Amino acid sequence: MTDTPAVRPHVTFEVETTVPTTHGTFRMRAYRDLDTGADHVAIVSGQPTDGALVRVHSECLTGEAFGSLKCECGPQLDAALDTIHNHGGVVIYLRGHEGRGIGLINKLRAYKLQEEGLDTLDANLALGLPADAREYVAAADILRDLGIESVRLLSNNPDKRNQLTAHGIEVAELVPLVVGVGTFNESYLDTKRDRMGHQLPDHLDTGYEAS
């Protein structure tokens, strides 16, 4: 009889603490990524179990810290934190995912190419980089550490669903998160929908500017 080989973990749990924020008070659990060295955070509200509402959110310095209107990342994070505070759940904040995984400097290089007429996907490709380099195995390991094997995923991105499923997390449904739409990111969101398969409306309401 051959023993089944142990599955190598991709993260290690480091510390949990309680943090009051403008969105409410959360438990924050920090993890070290054993593949990349990045530090990730699970922001937890209530006592989530299987079927919990979960947002897997990629770090975006330009959108979250600097208020860039080229994307909707800042408003998405705010909305996700408000939602889990009100209903319970988890936001997994993945660091090292800037610019869909290409890094801050390459993201700004891609912005420059977009000023010259390329869309967000072609700008990455013109730099010799993947359209989306993100991996979600760390998020799956974090969910398992929290005792969660199935989720309602707060996302418009089917690739997140597919990757979590491939890593053993059941995704019962994608819960839409359409916020932060404005005139500066309309083309960016159109590209997400038309070329990357994101589940967004055919006609985006640009009456709201992210702030």
Side-chain angles (χ1 to χ4, degrees):
M1 180 176 178
T2 303
D3 291 336
T4 302
V7 177
R8 181 180 70 85
H10 295 270
V11 299
T12 58
F13 169 70
E14 298 291 333
V15 65
E16 176 179 320
T17 189
T18 300
V19 180
T21 77
T22 55
H23 301 276
T25 298
F26 302 100
R27 288 188 291 127
M28 293 195 180
R29 294 172 58 85
Y31 295 83
R32 178 65 49 82
D33 192 312
L34 298 177
D35 297 325
T36 68
D39 298 331
H40 307 308
V41 181
I43 306 161
V44 183
S45 178
Q47 299 295 327
T49 58
D50 281 345
L53 191 63
V54 170
R55 167 74 179 167
V56 177
H57 188 90
S58 296
E59 177 183 26
C60 177
L61 181 70
T62 54
E64 296 156 8
F66 303 148
S68 170
L69 300 179
K70 283 180 173 285
C71 66
E72 81 280 41
C73 302
Q76 281 188 325
L77 180 59
D78 288 339
L81 291 170
D82 287 341
T83 298
I84 69 160
H85 176 256
N86 291 331
H87 302 287
V90 183
V91 173
I92 297 177
Y93 189 88
L94 296 177
R95 303 195 65 204
H97 272 203
E98 189 80 38
R100 299 192 191 122
I102 66 173
L104 179 60
I105 291 175
N106 280 327
K107 178 181 182 178
L108 295 179
R109 287 177 174 143
Y111 277 1
K112 180 64 175 175
L113 291 176
Q114 290 165 41
E115 291 173 358
E116 297 170 6
L118 296 185
D119 67 21
T120 56
L121 190 156
D122 284 335
N124 280 24
L125 298 179
L127 292 170
L129 300 168
D132 192 335
R134 292 174 294 180
E135 296 281 349
Y136 297 101
V137 63
D141 275 12
I142 290 169
L143 287 168
R144 275 188 287 270
D145 182 69
L146 294 169
I148 298 172
E149 299 281 350
S150 65
V151 302
R152 297 168 57 233
L153 189 62
L154 193 60
S155 177
N156 311 312
N157 184 357
D159 185 52
K160 288 183 183 179
R161 175 190 59 205
N162 295 340
Q163 286 206 41
L164 288 177
T165 300
H167 294 306
I169 301 297
E170 178 187 352
V171 179
E173 65 172 316
L174 285 184
V175 179
L177 185 62
V178 184
V179 294
V181 179
T183 55
F184 293 104
N185 63 25
E186 183 179 8
S187 176
Y188 160 83
L189 294 171
D190 285 343
T191 299
K192 276 188 171 184
R193 180 192 63 224
D194 299 338
R195 301 193 64 191
M196 303 185 77
H198 288 221
Q199 296 182 6
L200 292 164
D202 289 338
H203 301 286
L204 294 162
D205 180 5
T206 58
Y208 170 72
E209 288 287 357
S211 61

